[in-house]
Amino acid sequence: MGSSDKAASDDVPEKAATPTYKGDSDGAIGELQEENTYAYDDSRKLGITGAVFLILNKMIGTGIFSTPSGIFAATGSVGISLFLWVIGGILTFCGLSVWLEYGLAIPLSGGEKNYLERVYRHPKYLATCVLASQMILLGFSSGNSLAFGRYILYAAGNELKDTYRGRGIGVACVTFAVVLHAVAPKWGVRLFNVLGVFKVVILLFIVFAGFAALAGHRLVDNPHNFDDAFVINRGDGWGQGGAYQYSNALLNIVYSYKGWENANYVLGEIKDPRRTLTIAAPLAVGGVTILYILANIAYFAAIPKADLATSDVIVAGVFFRNVFGDSAAARSLPVFVALSNLGNVLAVSFAHARLNQELGKEGLLPFSRLWGSNKPFNSPSAALFLHWIVTVIILLAPPPGPAYNFIVSLYTYPGAWINSFVAAGLIYLHYNKKENWKSGWYTYLPIIVLFLLANLFLIIVPFIPPDGDWNSDGYPYYVFPVVGVAVLLLGAFYWFLWTKFWPKVRGHKIVSERIIDEQGVEVIRYRKVKTT
């Protein structure tokens, strides 16, 4: 990836006649037009293999090494837990179909930002501000950083529970990632590419070790987890069931599958998007779904139910102990999981810092010049610092306890709102003939409706009181949905200040224009135009 980044800065884009979307008077994405723009030669773009690895590298993160404990604790059933992972794969395919239709109709990098702007053109810029609020304030690396700290402590033979020692190591992890990207950005990219291999190798290792455990090669008694697999078991603080617990479990699964939409964010850099994405995306999602189900079978083959329900974020560490023992060599295995966590922190901080920087360049944020700057190290240092602040706050704010599940739910929950609006928008585009909607991919209505209903379930159910103690996790059950909605509403409030209040006070208006940037990519820029 380092070499391709260099090519991006050295190559001169060639001028070519290509279809491009131009902004209308409202700043939304309008109809397809044929006009001269700048595009890189196809030899510079990603093919099928590159697109598969792009999606795989983002999808396979720390979730599969950490969330299965919380999912089983919520359901209390081996069979139901595995069934939820299958449902997660089905919903991912549904979302993938929706994103493919949008992406092939709007062949621009940027993902759902473009899709929301295309559908929700009025009020002007509202969808953009709401999405920006979610991306900046909830685009953190806290879950990966916490998992890194917990696995390092576990490998060192320290406590299994969530404490501020592990969170302190997590702060050191994200600090290292941010400083490396700021001071030596090329080395940051190289390191997360190398560490990206670790998580794939570790996942495959767990799958094959699971086959060995099923054959009896383990150092604990047979947990008999597959006997009466759909029986709901209960223990101290786990297996309570209920709609709230199931929605939390599904949010954890959605988090683990997240990344399937990654190719849509760089759609402008993909060769022959229709052919490439329709082959690469299903291959990547299908492969990950199979690996995730096999990894969960491996956990169930070696970890007794009570241990699995209480292992929290270090479920993979407990699996290694039960299969390979408690020797120093066996304890080194969780270090590789920690390294994969570090790789994810590096990847997420890299991506979100550039997103923050791009929002600054667009002129969308307060102090836009600061966030869009490359000073002083020719890297997005200010945008990296913004990502660091948000990550550390979310990492340290929750009380000791099951903080990982809270962080995962907070990260995933607002995305259900965005997905719902995107899916509802596609239904509108299908049935409103005035929109003249055309795409190289068609998503059938039942698929859109299933995706929409699943996300509405994830939006509504977390507000329903759970059975038992409302504060069993150390905080009220409604904290993460309330915070998630508040962040989206904050985006709406900022939209009011940015487009209504300050323009009226200062005598200007906000206009948008699409331009070709220095790398030959079509981007949007917002600027203030005096009206008085």
Side-chain angles (χ1 to χ4, degrees):
M1 187 167 180
S3 61
S4 64
D5 285 347
K6 183 179 186 301
S9 61
D10 295 342
D11 292 355
V12 178
E14 62 176 14
K15 194 171 184 181
T18 60
T20 181
Y21 279 84
K22 302 304 293 179
D24 60 16
S25 59
D26 295 335
I29 295 175
E31 295 182 357
L32 190 64
Q33 298 179 7
E34 188 82 18
E35 80 163 31
N36 285 333
T37 185
Y38 287 86
Y40 288 109
D41 184 83
D42 272 0
S43 63
R44 282 275 321 284
K45 296 184 177 181
L46 291 172
I48 293 173
T49 303
V52 167
F53 281 101
L54 177 71
I55 298 170
L56 277 177
N57 197 42
K58 188 68 170 66
M59 284 187 72
I60 300 176
T62 60
I64 190 58
F65 305 123
S66 303
T67 60
S69 171
I71 293 160
F72 175 71
T75 64
S77 167
V78 174
I80 293 175
S81 296
L82 291 173
F83 185 61
L84 285 177
W85 281 96
V86 174
I87 290 175
I90 293 171
L91 293 178
T92 300
F93 272 106
C94 292
L96 177 62
S97 183
V98 171
W99 256 247
L100 277 174
E101 179 164 349
Y102 272 111
L104 295 178
I106 307 173
L108 300 172
S109 299
E112 57 265 37
K113 182 176 183 291
N114 294 327
Y115 314 151
L116 291 171
E117 288 175 349
R118 172 64 176 85
V119 180
Y120 304 100
R121 298 192 289 273
H122 302 285
K124 272 193 297 187
Y125 315 129
L126 176 59
T128 303
C129 290
V130 170
L131 185 63
S133 179
Q134 183 232 352
M135 288 179 168
I136 294 171
L137 298 180
L138 297 179
F140 45 73
S141 303
S142 307
N144 294 326
S145 300
L146 176 60
F148 175 85
R150 295 286 303 279
Y151 271 102
I152 289 294
L153 288 177
Y154 183 76
N158 286 299
E159 67 263 36
L160 303 181
K161 300 296 182 182
D162 175 37
T163 66
Y164 279 103
R165 290 180 65 191
R167 298 192 200 188
I169 296 173
V171 171
C173 171
V174 70
T175 302
F176 167 77
V178 165
V179 170
L180 181 63
H181 281 315
V183 177
K186 287 187 178 180
W187 283 103
V189 171
R190 289 168 183 163
L191 183 57
F192 80 63
N193 278 336
V194 171
L195 293 178
V197 177
F198 271 86
K199 57 190 176 187
V200 179
V201 171
I202 288 291
L203 181 56
L204 290 171
F205 185 72
I206 288 173
V207 168
F208 286 109
F211 290 141
L214 284 170
H217 298 284
R218 55 182 175 269
L219 299 179
V220 295
D221 294 334
N222 186 353
H224 295 286
N225 286 336
F226 298 105
D227 299 344
D228 299 319
F230 284 90
V231 170
I232 296 177
N233 303 271
R234 289 182 171 82
D236 184 16
W238 59 272
Q240 303 303 315
Y244 178 84
Q245 283 80 7
Y246 278 87
S247 69
N248 272 7
L250 198 52
L251 280 171
N252 275 258
I253 290 172
V254 169
Y255 173 81
S256 298
Y257 277 103
K258 197 161 180 58
W260 52 266
E261 70 278 56
N262 206 37
N264 287 62
Y265 295 132
V266 292
L267 200 59
E269 300 172 35
I270 291 179
K271 184 191 304 180
D272 189 2
R274 187 183 189 284
R275 179 176 179 273
T276 300
L277 284 185
T278 53
I279 296 174
L283 275 177
V285 172
V288 169
T289 301
I290 292 170
L291 286 174
Y292 279 6
I293 293 170
L294 291 176
N296 276 274
I297 291 173
Y299 295 142
F300 286 124
I303 307 175
K305 294 184 180 72
D307 292 345
L308 182 62
T310 56
S311 60
D312 196 27
V313 67
I314 54 171
V315 61
V318 176
F319 171 81
F320 289 139
R321 182 193 65 193
N322 289 3
V323 174
F324 300 104
D326 210 22
S327 64
R331 280 210 173 266
S332 67
L333 292 172
V335 173
F336 292 107
V337 180
L339 288 173
S340 76
N341 293 332
L342 173 60
N344 272 75
V345 173
L346 285 162
V348 172
S349 58
F350 172 87
H352 279 283
R354 274 150 184 79
L355 173 63
N356 294 343
Q357 183 185 44
E358 187 56 35
L359 292 173
K361 286 181 178 180
E362 287 181 0
L364 184 63
L365 306 179
F367 312 108
S368 285
R369 288 187 178 181
L370 171 65
W371 307 124
S373 171
N374 274 330
K375 297 179 180 179
F377 303 110
N378 196 29
S379 65
S381 303
L384 281 163
F385 180 63
L386 177 60
H387 177 77
W388 181 88
I389 290 174
V390 174
T391 295
V392 170
I393 290 173
I394 300 297
L395 182 58
L396 298 180
Y404 183 79
N405 287 335
F406 170 78
I407 291 171
V408 167
S409 297
L410 181 60
Y411 182 89
T412 312
Y413 177 78
W417 284 87
I418 302 300
N419 291 345
S420 296
F421 279 109
V422 171
L426 188 56
I427 295 174
Y428 166 79
L429 291 173
H430 277 192
Y431 291 96
N432 190 330
K433 301 303 180 185
K434 294 180 180 178
E435 292 289 342
N436 194 29
W437 178 251
K438 295 177 182 178
S439 175
W441 180 268
Y442 184 79
T443 304
Y444 290 99
L445 181 62
I447 294 174
I448 308 174
V449 170
L450 177 60
F451 185 63
L452 174 60
L453 291 178
N455 281 283
L456 290 176
F457 172 81
L458 295 176
I459 287 171
I460 296 168
V461 172
F463 286 101
I464 299 175
D467 299 331
D469 185 5
W470 287 12
N471 301 289
S472 59
D473 292 334
Y475 50 83
Y477 74 92
Y478 50 79
V479 168
F480 79 80
V482 167
V483 173
V485 171
V487 167
L488 300 178
L489 291 176
L490 183 62
F493 179 67
Y494 177 72
W495 165 82
F496 171 75
L497 292 178
W498 185 56
T499 65
K500 303 296 181 183
F501 181 76
W502 289 121
K504 186 173 182 179
V505 171
R506 296 171 177 172
H508 67 258
K509 66 177 180 178
I510 303 294
V511 297
S512 66
E513 54 189 17
R514 289 188 172 270
I515 63 170
I516 306 301
D517 70 4
E518 62 276 5
Q519 292 185 329
V521 179
E522 188 176 1
V523 295
I524 194 168
R525 294 289 182 260
Y526 300 98
R527 59 189 182 89
K528 300 171 185 176
V529 176
K530 286 287 185 181
T531 57
T532 57

